[in-house]
Amino acid sequence: MAEYQLYCFAQSGNAYRAALMLNLIGADWEPTWVDFFAKGEPRTPEYRTGVNEMGEVPVLVHGKRKLSQSGVILSYLAERSGKFKPEGEDERLEALRWIIFDNQKVNGFLGPYRFLRIFAKPPGDPAVLAFLKGRIDNNLAIVDKRLAGRPFVLGARPTIADLSLVAYLYYPAEEFGFDIPAQHKHIAVWLDRIKALPGWKHPYDLMPGHPLPGR
Ligand SMILES: N[C@@H](CCC(=O)N[C@@H](CS)C(=O)NCC(=O)O)C(=O)O
């Protein structure tokens, strides 16, 4: 058995943050596939009792420890490995600031937007999608501006703030109906920089469950 197990599925950008971190630090890890689409597994009482009371993916299992919330998982792995770790109080606070902004406003809107657009049955209400799209455009522009003056979110080197923010950004443009790198040139070069890190893999190659049956 591998040192780390990650509850995840290929379509989850929230889980991708943790899977990517595990791969980039060269951890000994294996995925545990969660059937989100057919069985709604995270919503089952068994999952909430046995895996995560919050009913969410990802969950990282490390020995007796079970961690959820990708930001917590990223911090834990950075502390243990010493890699992608914000150094000093200022960097730690700055990383946390971007991770919370990301969870709530960047990928926190992008994930549900994509879900309502291509996975939900019936698809999301156009008014809801339009609201989310407005927020997404605004928040991606904030990230793009941040990256205009520095190679990575905190500065010269990549940290867990970057690995949080990439969550949904490598999924194909057709899943969103708009092309994020084409519309945000600083995000585009930053995504290429992260892609060049040893151990980088696309979410569909890193986590199980792609393609979905019938698609
Ligand atoms: N802030 C959480 C978000 C996790 C999250 O929303 N995960 C989705 C899958 S991508 C989920 O498990 N949703 C459960 C549900 O919709 O019932 C994190 O970063 O870990």
Side-chain angles (χ1 to χ4, degrees):
M1 180 142 121
E3 183 181 0
Y4 295 96
Q5 289 80 45
L6 182 71
Y7 285 78
C8 61
F9 56 93
Q11 295 77 15
S12 170
N14 289 307
Y16 179 58
R17 299 182 180 113
L20 181 61
M21 175 75 174
L22 286 162
N23 235 45
L24 292 176
I25 66 174
D28 173 29
W29 74 282
E30 64 194 3
T32 300
W33 180 63
V34 175
D35 188 348
F36 180 82
F37 292 100
K39 292 201 183 133
E41 205 181 327
R43 296 184 183 180
T44 61
E46 294 75 25
Y47 190 92
R48 291 188 177 186
T49 307
V51 183
N52 180 6
E53 65 184 334
M54 293 180 184
E56 289 185 333
V57 169
V59 171
L60 181 74
V61 181
H62 186 215
K64 292 198 170 121
R65 201 169 242 144
K66 252 189 208 137
L67 297 173
S68 77
Q69 292 301 333
S70 58
V72 171
I73 296 170
L74 289 173
S75 301
Y76 179 72
L77 293 172
E79 279 301 321
R80 290 192 66 84
S81 67
K83 296 177 182 167
F84 303 100
K85 186 180 163 189
E87 296 295 348
E89 189 177 41
D90 286 348
E91 269 201 15
R92 271 202 306 279
L93 292 174
E94 193 61 356
L96 186 57
R97 196 166 78 93
W98 282 98
I99 288 172
I100 291 172
F101 179 68
D102 171 42
N103 270 240
Q104 188 188 359
K105 296 221 170 141
V106 184
N107 287 288
F109 285 135
L110 205 45
Y113 179 84
R114 168 172 165 269
F115 176 79
L116 290 173
R117 192 174 175 274
I118 60 165
F119 296 123
K121 289 179 191 150
D125 184 321
V128 174
L129 286 168
F131 167 78
L132 290 174
K133 178 68 166 58
R135 304 310 299 147
I136 290 163
D137 288 345
N138 182 67
N139 298 330
L140 285 173
I142 289 170
V143 176
D144 197 61
K145 184 156 177 268
R146 173 79 183 180
L147 292 166
R150 43 181 77 70
F152 297 101
V153 173
L154 297 195
R157 62 188 176 84
T159 66
I160 53 173
D162 299 278
L163 302 184
S164 183
L165 273 155
V166 298
Y168 283 90
L169 303 188
Y170 290 111
Y171 288 102
E174 53 272 21
E175 296 186 358
F176 301 105
F178 57 97
D179 189 331
I180 295 168
Q183 290 169 12
H184 301 277
K185 63 178 185 200
H186 304 297
I187 289 180
V189 289
W190 166 75
L191 287 174
D192 284 345
R193 271 184 208 115
I194 293 170
K195 204 170 175 176
L197 297 172
W200 182 90
K201 278 191 183 174
H202 190 276
Y204 285 150
D205 298 324
L206 198 51
M207 301 180 289
H210 174 76
L212 281 176
R215 283 187 180 250

